[in-house]
Amino acid sequence: MLFSHGSFAVDCFFVLSGFVMMYVYGNRFGQGLSKADLFEFFVARFARLYPVQIATFGLLLSWFFVTKGRHGEWESFLNSDGRYSWEAAVANLVFLQGPWIDHRTWNYPSWSLSAEWHAYVLFPLLVPVVRRLNNLVVAVAVASAVPVGLYCWYQIEDIGTNGLISLLRVIPLFVIGMVAYRLRDQEWTGSTSIVLLGTVGTLALLIIPRAWILLPIAAPTLLFAALNENWFSRLLHARILVWLGEQSYSLYMIHALIQIFTTSILLPKLGFDSASISPMVGLWWVAVMIVVSLLVADQVRRWIEVPAREAIKQRARDKFVEAII
């Protein structure tokens, strides 16, 4: 039960992302939109997302050409509307694979990066609006918008990871995160009750049948707890949790590749059929994939994510200085 609905953690991420963007950039964009601030914001977002996105896409593209090309199976690439089509490949290069392709493509978790980028485009324009909301409107919005929005999603059979409908999933949750940030200075947000509510609420929503759709409701309460001095924030500073947090983006982007490579190459070579392996073998195989994914993600972060991010930001700063001199 806990793992079968882990995909809703992505919805929690959209709420957390809106909150964090307000935490970092809210004051700056609330005072007006300057070219320098916009430039810095979009460079930072691009540097954060694109290096790992293009690296994992490149790995999957190479795998496709080696496996499919060797057997002359080019139809899926030449067909413009397939998962591994050339059209989907182009969309992946420019963050358009989520809302503008109506099916999963290449490294399928990257749909959320594409949708998130659309939220970033709107973010500077939304900041002044959110900052002007009075406290009552903020409280009502946080209390009602997430469950109402997710209840609507609950009535839709396909939760929407691709096509324009995915923006209706992502942007409202991102905005709720922005609005929730307005409550950060309230005294009650740092209380033990909020810590317990967020923790117990998260576990309850994961366990109670058909309640996991409302999981993002708990995201703001956990953030409030993490930003205050309490046992929960101290727990989050445990070395293993800090390490997992540092790997989270690379892990998110690499895990699907590990799944694809192991099930399509490794399992057949070991004489297993992924569709008919026993539960015990399947459990061990999942454990192996998790360990391998963590180890690979650590190397991706060390050699691609962090160096490329810093290089892009430094290069952009140098170019910006040259432009204004």
Side-chain angles (χ1 to χ4, degrees), residues 13-30 40-46 48-49 116-124 126-127 130-131 173-182 184 223 227:
F13 166 77
F14 296 135
V15 177
L16 301 182
S17 181
F19 190 102
V20 171
M21 289 301 102
M22 282 293 289
Y23 179 75
V24 177
Y25 297 102
N27 288 336
R28 189 181 306 181
F29 287 141
E40 181 180 340
F41 171 73
F42 284 111
V43 166
R45 296 299 88 214
F46 178 85
R48 179 73 175 90
L49 299 181
E116 178 86 355
W117 185 262
H118 287 68
Y120 291 157
V121 171
L122 295 176
F123 173 74
L126 292 172
V127 170
V130 171
R131 284 169 60 91
L173 293 172
F174 184 88
V175 172
I176 289 302
M178 294 177 62
V179 174
Y181 175 76
R182 287 281 310 277
R184 73 197 184 285
L223 268 175
L227 290 175

Side-chain angles (χ1 to χ4, degrees), residues 157-178:
E157 186 174 344
D158 181 4
I159 198 168
T161 61
N162 287 89
L164 286 173
I165 197 170
S166 66
L167 294 180
L168 296 179
R169 174 184 180 182
V170 174
I171 292 177
L173 293 172
F174 184 88
V175 172
I176 289 302
M178 294 177 62

Side-chain angles (χ1 to χ4, degrees), residues 47-109:
R48 179 73 175 90
L49 299 181
Y50 200 70
V52 178
Q53 149 71 3
I54 201 64
T56 52
F57 171 67
L59 283 173
L60 197 52
L61 187 67
S62 300
W63 165 83
F64 177 86
F65 283 138
V66 169
T67 57
K68 302 294 184 181
R70 187 173 56 190
H71 298 95
E73 300 173 4
W74 296 102
E75 292 82 0
S76 55
F77 185 76
L78 299 176
N79 185 347
S80 64
D81 61 356
R83 173 176 177 176
Y84 297 114
S85 70
W86 65 268
E87 184 181 82
V90 173
N92 272 264
L93 293 175
V94 290
F95 282 141
L96 296 179
Q97 69 272 28
W100 304 102
I101 302 287
D102 63 2
H103 54 270
R104 285 187 169 185
T105 68
W106 295 91
N107 188 18
Y108 61 83

Side-chain angles (χ1 to χ4, degrees), residues 133 135 196 221 246:
L133 297 177
N135 290 337
L196 293 174
T221 61
E246 291 173 343

